Amino acid sequence: MSLKNKKIIIGITGGIASYKVCELIRLLVKNGADVRVILTPNAKEFITETTLSTLTKNPVYCEQFNPKEWKPEHISLADDTDLFVLVPASANTIGKIANGICDNLLTSVVAAFSKDIILAPAMNCNMWENSFIQQNIKKLEQHNYQIIRPESGNLACGYEGVGRLADVQTIFDAIVKNFEKKKLLSGKKILITAGGTKEPIDPVRYIGNHSSGKMGIAIADAAYNYGADVALVSTVDINKPYSVVKTNTALEMYESVKGHFSSADVLIMTAAVADFRPVDFCKNKIKKEKKDALVVELVKNPDILKEMAAIKTLQQTVVGFCAESENVTDYALKKLDEKNLDFIVANDISLPDRGFNSDYNEVTIIDKNKKQYKLAKQAKQELAYLILRYIFKIKDFDNG
Ligand SMILES: Cc1cc2nc3c(=O)[nH]c(=O)nc-3n(C[C@H](O)[C@H](O)[C@H](O)COP(=O)(O)O)c2cc1C
């Protein structure tokens, strides 16, 4: 793939592996990319601006305060770029980004950047294993930053272990893949629901379920990374680079899905929506005194999935999820038919270490011709891509 017209920022931090960036920049420029470099002040201890401006044929940025420009540089650089690649990413800068700190030009541009950010960390192996640094890495991944993990080998500090910057070709391939990925679902509008609804009984109590929303959020992230226009209707309060509508109850979710559905190409409902809600909401806390029992009368909630599938056009696709603890495939097939779905994704919540609240899942996708496709137990993030690839018939693409 040519990188012609692609604007890429290479952010460089104060790490010994920064000398390897020159080779990466050379490869990017050779393939047509317009590369701009931002250095942290500490990176200047390791690599010179002269080398970088010669390789990129562009000025190199480092100073946060530049009185010659009317528009702050951290905003204009962030606005005018397709992809940000931080290489090498030091433990220090990773920590700052994960905590929203913007104390130099590089961290300020990252904070103002609304497109994809790839980080290639490199550091001493003990630093890499440090639990705070690992927490920061995990936090960044959860917020859709792509991490190209360091490799194992001899380190410049004399240690041997994991911490060496990933191979330059690996980083280059990840950059190319990022642009290719963005084209897979470009132009598609995907509406996704996630989480478990909460049906209030009184101001302190509700009827809920164990759904964490992780599977739906993973699918929304994957769809966004494939370039789709994503709207996530979620009971989990999260910040994402795509549209997120926070809802609590089944009725709120119903209204939101109804409002978005007509413009969506695909609806994927992973949310665990309560089948019933209390008839009455008691505006004051229910007291236990003078009561041996409490009866809460319930009324049926709308079946969001069934209602949307009933009004879908020939161009729209509706995908349901079904979490069952027994006869999983039988129930899934029944739901597929009864609700007139295009696909159902079935998972067995009775199995340990997967499904509800877990980071892992094992699912079977069944299409409307009853064809079954089983996906082995794996991280929900990985499964999300496989589910989308199956639904959208995306062949020969490995996220790698
Ligand atoms: C010779 C030398 C090599 C270093 N290499 C690394 C490294 O590979 N990774 C890292 O995270 N920190 C490394 N450091 C420490 C960073 O330079 C230090 O944490 C600095 O504050 C990073 O600043 P920055 O993140 O603003 O660029 C190194 C320091 C020295 C003196």
Side-chain angles (χ1 to χ4, degrees), residues 225-278:
N225 288 336
Y226 276 171
D229 179 354
V230 175
L232 177 69
V233 180
S234 165
T235 63
V236 184
D237 208 356
I238 39 161
N239 223 337
K240 290 286 180 185
Y242 46 81
S243 155
V244 180
V245 184
K246 169 82 167 66
T247 54
N248 290 309
T249 65
L251 285 182
E252 285 171 15
M253 187 169 274
Y254 174 62
E255 290 305 327
S256 180
V257 170
K258 249 193 339 185
H260 285 84
F261 184 67
S262 62
S263 62
D265 296 300
V266 180
L267 167 66
I268 303 177
M269 283 215 48
T270 74
V273 183
D275 292 331
F276 297 93
R277 67 178 183 278

Side-chain angles (χ1 to χ4, degrees), residues 46-203:
F46 295 84
I47 190 159
T48 72
E49 292 183 50
T50 312
T51 307
L52 297 165
S53 61
T54 309
L55 286 174
T56 59
K57 300 181 183 60
N58 274 319
V60 169
Y61 304 85
C62 182
E63 303 313 321
Q64 169 95 298
F65 303 102
N66 183 354
K68 283 183 238 100
E69 281 273 347
W70 73 269
K71 196 172 182 184
E73 224 150 39
H74 66 278
I75 303 297
S76 44
L77 279 170
D79 285 350
D80 196 29
T81 302
D82 301 306
L83 180 69
F84 194 117
V85 188
L86 190 56
V87 51
S90 66
N92 177 52
T93 293
I94 288 169
K96 288 184 193 175
I97 296 172
N99 290 287
I101 295 170
C102 318
D103 64 346
N104 59 39
L105 181 66
L106 188 150
T107 49
S108 302
V109 173
V110 168
F113 200 71
S114 57
K115 290 170 214 149
D116 287 359
I117 300 181
I118 299 178
L119 286 90
M123 63 197 72
N124 163 275
C125 50
N126 291 338
M127 285 171 90
W128 176 248
E129 275 158 27
N130 177 299
S131 63
F132 290 117
I133 294 171
Q134 282 304 314
Q135 275 173 31
N136 288 334
I137 293 284
K138 198 166 174 201
K139 195 168 166 189
L140 290 173
E141 281 183 323
Q142 282 166 351
H143 285 78
N144 241 22
Y145 291 71
Q146 185 185 342
I147 309 289
I148 305 176
R149 293 188 132 62
E151 294 170 358
S152 178
N154 289 319
L155 306 178
C157 54
Y159 282 65
E160 182 151 353
V162 178
R164 196 170 68 183
L165 183 72
D167 196 60
V168 165
Q169 187 64 44
T170 306
I171 301 172
F172 177 78
D173 291 346
I175 293 170
V176 171
K177 194 149 251 180
N178 184 281
F179 286 115
E180 283 175 351
K181 239 184 344 195
K182 283 281 169 210
K183 288 198 281 187
L184 292 174
L185 294 182
S186 143
K188 295 274 179 217
K189 288 192 167 194
I190 307 187
L191 175 60
I192 298 158
T193 65
T197 59
K198 291 178 178 169
E199 310 301 324
I201 298 171
D202 70 11

